[in-house]
Amino acid sequence: MIRLIIDGKNIETAPGTTILEAAKIAGIEIPTLCHLKHVNEIGCCRLCVVEAEGIDKLLPACNTKVKDGMVIQTQNERITQARRLVLDLLLSNHKQDCFSCSKNGACELQKYCDEYGLERSSYDGTRIKIEKPERNAHPFLHYRPELCLHCQRCVSTCAKSTGRHAIILRKTGNYNIIEAPFGDDWKSTLCESCGNCAQACPTGAITEKRRKDYREWDVRHVRTTCPHCATGCQFDLVVKNNRIVDVQAADGPSNHGLVCVKGRSGSFDFVHSPDRIRYPLIKNQETGEFERASWDEALDLVASKFTEIKKKYGPESLAGFACSRSPNEDVYMVQKMVRTCFGSNNVDNCARVCHSASVAGLAMTLGSGAMTNPIYDITHDVDCIMLVGSNPEEAHPVVGMQIRQAVQNGTRLIVVDPRDIGLTQYADIHLKLQPGTNIAFANGMMHVMIKENLIDRKFIEERSEGFEELKEIVKDYTPEYVGEVCHIDPDQLIEAARMYATAEKAPIIYCLGVTEHTTGTEGVMSMSNMAMLCGKLGKSGCGVNPLRGQNNVQGACDMGAMPTDFPGYQKVTNPDVVEKFEDAWGVPLSKKPGVHATDVFPAAVRKEIRGLYIYGEDPVVTDADTTHIIKALESLDFFVLQELFMTETAKYADVILPGMSYAEKEGTFSNTERRVQRVRKAVDLTMDPEFDIRLDTDIIIDLMNRMGYPQEHLTSTQIMDEISSLTPSFGGISHARLDAMNGQGLQWPCLNKEHPGTPIMHVGKFTRGKGWLYPTRYTPSAELPDEEYPLFLMTGRILYHYTTRAMTGRTPGLMEIEGRSFIEMNEMDAARLGIRNGEPVRTSSRRASIITTARVGTKVSEGETWMPFHFPDGNANWLTHAALDPFCRIPEYKVCAIRVEKLT
């Protein structure tokens, strides 16, 4: 350890610590304008200068390492005059319009000029001669060069933190110039609109345009968790007069001070959207129109109709879906209502159509169907990342940023994806396989690993079972055979197997490109097989890591919104588990597994399901084969939706119950790495007399009581206490403990109040005992191209929108960036069909036909296409195939056959 003295304080710190860091540890503030730890450490502003005994010149504290015996002064007349000079010179080139500047009150230059008594500069600046005009065309971001200090925080943040390199530092003679990509050409730049540069800027040079609507003294900050993907980014909602006006990133364990464009700009406009449903609605069965109702009228009707259906057709005739965007506490109450009031296990959530294959597959091979390692662990200090069927730059952007960081720092990258995703430009190897051939790829990898003895035989012998059977199967998956099946280069497959197997730290990261197939569960198990063969489980920097799609889809499964599991994956077929919940809830419970969500719709058509309750899901938009979903909803005797907006699904409801958004309630989300984090109330819309909305858990509790179950009123805190009392993996989790964790959250399993949580799963032993090397065999997709429908269609997400756009579609800037449906086509297919880039085309499958816009290029291979499903003007799910995985009942969104035609 290094011992030194700073301002008379004896300090002990580790070698390599800077004076700035050592002073901070001692509670001593040293001013800086350019410094961002690990991001911008160039020491260019010189505001942080300090005096060291025995050294004549002043030292920059931000990048001077401590030495044993140092005696440092951070405040004296010499230092003060030096800092005043720095500020004086900076101010000479800074336009002083502080009263009108949107950063007034939050500007660091303003703060230090006030602190050091500087009102105006004594110098005439020279930069004005070479500065370019402001750049203000971007929908969110604004650059004013006359306010720029050239500290390079924005440049370094964009390059090092986000890995994007969209902001460029250029030279003109003796001067540096910041090229910010917010001018008229902003759409053609590398900018992802994340706004991390604006948050890093110490002045008003780069700002979010919405900052003009508030000043720091007008607002309060509420720490919460992002409502979009399952990365679980921490941020502050900035609230002025009961209205959210901005988002500022916080330093959370999964995002480290970063957010994406959806998190920063798509997380609050929808909360205050004028088209929020403001009171209960009951459909007039004669006119088909919705009419306003009181809460008593609506809840009494729902309770009486569900009770009537249950009495006439039995408990199995009712089903309920929980919302994977709602807090854990809400999901818990939904599944409790279905089990205690409906009397069945017919409860599910949207994991059924995205990552149910991960839950089922990893539970079978490892014993727990969740991500094995934390995000930070698999994106920092790793040797190789194997990314399979995942496009994190767009679906999990902050994870994508951290992968770009890793590659910049020397991590090797293997991308296995049918498209040229953004990360392929950084990849050492891109295996651009044919859609639906993941298992053949994985078996080919294992063939090479076994043949070249790249496997961990000790790990296999001690911690796994099934090796000999799997070895016999993959013997036939030679690189040449797999090359033919997957349409990839056999030599690249061999190289990828060697690269992954020989790396000491190498995580597998995968997403819906693996799960959304009729063989999705086996595809997940093949990911597990590869990791297990190489001993890359239960250790840092490794593991099998599904990136969950929605903010609380992990939590929805954890909370038991599944037809087979009570909370904590406790099986409904286990008599001891059922007895425990019967004792706790005071009623008999069904021991029969329920109907999966994707099976509920055909069951509704067959009149086996008569009543359906859905909380916050929009299956008309999100589920495969839209025609089939609409037919099912129209077949129901009674359909209730608890929602914020009049969605496509809401149009088919008999009753709509208006709930509250994440920003209006307390609770928790569980992110993709099993980290339980707090959600906090920021605004109360019921202060407006036009809003007759209610807390969602209160709606559910009232409904339960009306259906005859004596459910006492519980706060979100009390609901979590009940969860922890019945769920061993949540045994040590409470709101009070999470609030005391300084935003770090807790990763389950967390067995008791003293348990620290479990960052890495399966250390020393798998949850199921020995890991299972499952005997996976390649099976082609259910629907392949033919003469009538000659093209593959794949579907997925884009950066600027989230699922159905219920949230992001209400942010005008996001719609300006990307607001319409499109289909990616290969240039060879387009040429053959006479289709030009940007022209409308008719796209048809065996189920439907839609009009969309062609985007012609080479992102997809010849014979393949790709569409997002966000946009109503051409929703891909009219086309997709509802063929289901036999294990988890997930639809095959990633493969169906289509044709594309030029419009005449």
Side-chain angles (χ1 to χ4, degrees):
M1 297 295 283
I2 301 293
R3 292 175 176 83
L4 70 157
I5 298 171
I6 302 181
D7 290 349
K9 290 186 178 182
N10 290 306
I11 297 169
E12 191 173 282
T13 188
T17 305
T18 65
I19 296 172
L20 182 67
E21 292 165 339
K24 187 175 181 180
I25 293 168
I28 299 168
E29 182 186 354
I30 298 174
T32 65
L33 282 171
C34 67
H35 180 77
L36 288 176
K37 187 176 180 180
H38 300 319
V39 178
N40 199 51
E41 299 179 324
I42 59 176
C44 68
C45 77
R46 286 308 198 254
L47 190 63
C48 66
V49 291
V50 297
E51 195 172 78
E53 192 176 277
I55 300 176
D56 290 337
K57 66 177 183 179
L58 296 177
L59 302 176
C62 67
N63 58 15
T64 302
K65 302 291 193 293
V66 297
K67 294 180 181 178
D68 205 45
M70 264 187 166
V71 178
I72 303 294
Q73 283 292 125
T74 70
Q75 296 284 353
N76 61 32
E77 183 59 26
R78 181 189 178 201
I79 294 168
T80 297
Q81 290 306 315
R83 291 174 181 169
R84 279 181 58 86
L85 177 61
V86 168
L87 293 168
D88 198 349
L89 291 168
L90 289 172
L91 212 54
S92 72
N93 287 301
H94 187 84
K95 184 177 181 181
Q96 289 182 255
D97 57 352
C98 296
F99 286 117
S100 62
C101 178
S102 63
K103 284 289 283 285
N104 187 12
C107 172
E108 295 174 45
L109 179 63
Q110 182 187 50
K111 170 189 171 182
Y112 290 126
C113 284
D114 287 345
E115 185 176 323
Y116 285 88
L118 224 70
E119 293 185 5
R120 61 186 58 85
S121 178
S122 57
Y123 298 95
D124 292 325
T126 56
R127 294 197 62 93
I128 192 69
K129 299 173 183 177
I130 52 90
E131 292 290 11
K132 294 185 177 182
E134 69 176 14
R135 298 193 171 196
N136 196 26
H138 193 281
F140 297 125
L141 295 159
H142 182 191
Y143 175 54
R144 296 180 62 190
E146 74 274 15
L147 301 181
C148 182
L149 304 181
H150 300 86
C151 66
Q152 300 182 42
R153 279 190 185 181
C154 61
V155 177
S156 295
T157 295
C158 192
K160 294 181 181 178
S161 295
T162 75
R164 194 62 181 167
H165 299 271
I167 301 177
I168 306 299
L169 182 70
R170 300 195 187 279
K171 280 191 173 291
T172 174
N174 294 324
Y175 296 101
N176 290 328
I177 295 291
I178 302 294
E179 292 281 1
F182 313 137
D184 293 336
D185 61 345
W186 62 270
K187 280 193 174 183
S188 63
T189 71
L190 293 173
C191 178
E192 292 178 329
S193 308
C194 66
N196 289 301
C197 57
Q199 185 159 335
C201 182
T203 69
I206 297 180
T207 57
E208 293 280 350
K209 290 183 175 179
R210 53 183 172 265
R211 278 203 70 104
K212 65 180 172 51
D213 297 328
Y214 70 92
R215 297 293 182 267
E216 282 301 311
W217 54 80
D218 294 329
V219 299
R220 58 188 177 88
H221 294 243
V222 179
R223 180 65 49 85
T224 194
T225 305
C226 182
H228 294 292
C229 79
T231 303
C233 297
Q234 295 294 286
F235 60 49
D236 289 344
L237 293 173
V238 182
V239 182
K240 176 183 178 181
N241 298 332
N242 199 39
R243 188 177 185 88
I244 304 167
V245 293
D246 207 350
V247 162
Q248 291 184 6
D251 187 11
S254 61
N255 65 307
H256 312 286
L258 299 172
V259 290
C260 74
V261 60
K262 291 190 288 286
R264 193 179 299 276
S265 296
S267 297
F268 57 92
D269 284 327
F270 78 94
V271 175
H272 306 283
S273 177
D275 63 343
R276 282 280 297 267
I277 298 174
R278 300 181 177 215
Y279 37 75
L281 296 169
I282 296 176
K283 183 176 285 181
N284 184 315
Q285 297 303 317
E286 292 183 1
T287 65
E289 299 296 320
F290 285 105
E291 298 175 354
R292 181 170 185 169
S294 70
W295 276 104
D296 282 338
E297 289 172 326
L299 291 175
D300 283 345
L301 177 61
V302 172
S304 64
K305 285 289 189 180
F306 281 158
T307 301
E308 178 186 329
I309 290 170
K310 178 181 175 181
K311 184 176 180 180
K312 188 172 182 180
Y313 299 106
E316 299 296 328
S317 63
L318 297 174
F321 298 166
C323 177
S324 295
R325 294 183 305 284
S326 70
N328 286 315
E329 295 77 5
D330 295 32
V331 176
Y332 176 85
M333 293 308 299
V334 170
Q335 63 85 33
K336 184 177 182 181
M337 177 182 72
V338 171
R339 290 182 160 116
T340 59
C341 299
F342 291 8
S344 75
N345 288 309
N346 293 346
V347 62
D348 213 337
N349 74 91
C350 77
R352 187 60 49 206
V353 296
C354 61
H355 267 291
S356 56
S358 293
V359 176
L362 295 181
M364 290 170 69
T365 60
L366 307 179
S368 178
M371 187 169 173
T372 60
N373 291 53
I375 292 168
Y376 187 89
D377 181 66
I378 60 172
T379 56
H380 294 75
D381 188 30
V382 292
D383 303 303
C384 175
I385 294 172
M386 183 153 69
L387 191 68
V388 187
S390 176
N391 186 6
E393 285 185 304
E394 304 211 37
H396 303 85
V398 173
V399 176
M401 292 174 191
Q402 292 177 73
I403 292 175
R404 290 194 297 239
Q405 288 177 37
V407 173
Q408 288 180 174
N409 292 327
T411 298
R412 306 191 80 177
L413 178 64
I414 303 166
V415 173
V416 185
D417 198 286
R419 296 170 69 222
D420 287 335
I421 62 173
L423 284 170
T424 57
Q425 66 183 301
Y426 309 107
D428 295 272
I429 298 172
H430 177 203
L431 298 176
K432 197 172 183 180
L433 77 180
Q434 182 172 284
T437 61
N438 294 319
I439 292 174
F441 145 74
N443 283 0
M445 291 278 286
M446 290 185 283
H447 173 98
V448 175
M449 294 171 188
I450 294 171
K451 180 180 179 181
E452 298 191 4
N453 197 28
L454 303 175
I455 59 178
D456 188 334
R457 294 189 178 274
K458 185 174 184 292
F459 187 94
I460 292 168
E461 182 179 339
E462 294 178 355
R463 296 197 53 189
S464 75
E465 58 189 9
F467 173 68
E468 292 302 326
E469 184 179 1
L470 181 64
K471 178 183 176 182
E472 187 63 26
I473 289 171
V474 303
K475 184 172 63 177
D476 296 332
Y477 289 79
T478 64
E480 293 72 27
Y481 168 69
V482 172
E484 290 179 11
V485 171
C486 298
H487 296 188
I488 58 176
D489 183 344
D491 290 335
Q492 283 205 319
L493 178 74
I494 295 169
E495 187 179 355
R498 291 169 179 167
M499 188 179 295
Y500 170 73
T502 58
E504 182 179 348
K505 291 185 175 183
I508 295 173
I509 301 174
Y510 73 88
C511 198
L512 306 184
V514 170
T515 61
E516 289 182 340
H517 295 276
T518 49
T519 56
T521 303
E522 290 190 303
V524 168
M525 291 191 279
S526 71
M527 301 298 111
S528 174
N529 286 346
M530 286 190 287
M532 203 177 302
L533 275 186
C534 297
K536 290 180 169 55
L537 286 162
K539 57 190 289 189
S540 175
C542 295
V544 181
N545 301 283
L547 297 179
R548 305 300 292 265
Q550 300 201 44
N551 56 305
N552 200 39
V553 71
Q554 178 66 57
C557 297
D558 299 343
M559 292 299 100
M562 298 169 67
T564 53
D565 293 34
F566 286 108
Y569 307 97
Q570 300 172 86
K571 301 301 177 185
V572 301
T573 53
N574 184 327
D576 293 337
V577 168
V578 175
E579 183 180 357
K580 177 176 78 170
F581 281 93
E582 287 179 336
D583 290 344
W585 293 345
V587 293
L589 297 172
S590 173
K591 302 174 180 64
K592 177 184 175 183
V595 181
H596 298 87
T598 44
D599 290 317
V600 162
F601 297 109
V605 174
R606 297 192 302 268
K607 288 294 185 180
E608 294 167 11
I609 296 290
R610 299 263 181 170
L612 179 62
Y613 162 90
I614 296 181
Y615 174 5
E617 298 295 343
D618 192 5
V620 170
V621 177
T622 61
D623 282 34
D625 189 357
T626 302
T627 303
H628 159 72
I629 299 300
I630 291 173
K631 182 178 179 181
L633 294 177
E634 291 176 334
S635 300
L636 291 166
D637 292 359
F638 193 66
F639 172 36
V640 179
L641 187 68
Q642 197 161 312
E643 248 300 352
L644 303 180
F645 301 104
M646 186 59 70
T647 62
E648 292 300 309
T649 299
K651 297 172 184 177
Y652 298 91
D654 295 292
V655 177
I656 301 175
L657 305 174
M660 295 182 175
S661 72
Y662 82 110
E664 302 162 67
K665 61 179 67 169
E666 298 288 327
T668 56
F669 292 156
S670 300
N671 78 343
T672 190
E673 56 184 3
R674 300 169 284 105
R675 192 182 302 275
V676 183
Q677 302 179 115
R678 286 282 274 118
V679 179
R680 295 182 176 89
K681 181 177 178 178
V683 293
D684 182 357
L685 269 59
T686 63
M687 292 175 66
D688 182 341
E690 291 188 12
F691 277 87
D692 187 17
I693 60 178
R694 296 188 62 194
L695 198 62
D696 293 276
T697 50
D698 287 352
I699 297 171
I700 297 162
I701 288 169
D702 271 10
L703 187 55
M704 293 171 76
N705 279 284
R706 280 174 162 84
M707 290 190 71
Y709 180 81
Q711 175 61 57
E712 65 175 317
H713 181 273
L714 299 174
T715 65
S716 180
T717 298
Q718 292 169 324
I719 294 170
M720 178 52 73
D721 290 342
E722 181 174 321
I723 293 166
S724 65
S725 72
L726 291 169
T727 311
S729 57
F730 275 64
I733 298 176
S734 67
H735 284 197
R737 189 174 178 197
L738 291 172
D739 287 339
M741 293 290 294
N742 194 29
Q744 294 304 298
L746 287 164
Q747 289 176 272
W748 65 259
C750 180
L751 304 180
N752 54 59
K753 292 178 181 178
E754 289 72 44
H755 196 284
T758 309
I760 299 175
M761 295 283 282
H762 314 300
V763 177
K765 183 181 180 181
F766 292 109
T767 306
R768 73 183 295 276
K770 283 197 169 186
W772 185 16
L773 288 162
Y774 184 86
T776 52
R777 292 178 172 86
Y778 164 66
T779 304
S781 297
E783 182 178 86
L784 296 173
D786 57 17
E787 187 174 343
E788 186 178 3
Y789 298 97
L791 301 173
F792 280 100
L793 172 66
M794 304 170 279
T795 65
R797 298 179 180 180
I798 63 171
L799 170 62
Y800 299 100
H801 288 291
Y802 177 70
T803 60
T804 65
R805 297 179 311 108
M807 296 187 289
T808 55
R810 288 171 170 83
T811 298
L814 293 175
M815 291 299 292
E816 181 182 351
I817 295 171
E818 193 73 84
R820 297 188 63 82
S821 167
F822 61 88
I823 184 167
E824 292 177 356
M825 298 183 64
N826 184 271
E827 59 189 11
M828 301 298 289
D829 295 319
R832 186 172 61 254
L833 295 168
I835 293 170
R836 298 188 307 275
N837 184 50
E839 74 171 303
V841 293
R842 181 178 302 280
T843 305
S844 307
S845 73
R846 289 179 173 85
R847 289 153 292 282
S849 180
I850 62 173
I851 305 297
T852 186
T853 301
R855 288 194 180 174
V856 177
T858 58
K859 288 187 73 172
V860 294
S861 298
E862 189 173 356
E864 299 171 14
T865 66
W866 183 91
M867 284 189 73
F869 62 86
H870 307 293
F871 302 104
D873 64 315
N875 184 353
N877 281 329
W878 285 97
L879 308 175
T880 50
H881 191 203
L884 302 179
D885 176 293
F887 292 95
C888 69
R889 314 303 288 163
I890 195 170
E892 190 153 44
Y893 290 101
K894 298 304 182 190
V895 180
C896 75
I898 65 165
R899 64 171 176 263
V900 179
E901 300 166 283
K902 185 181 180 70
L903 289 180
T904 55

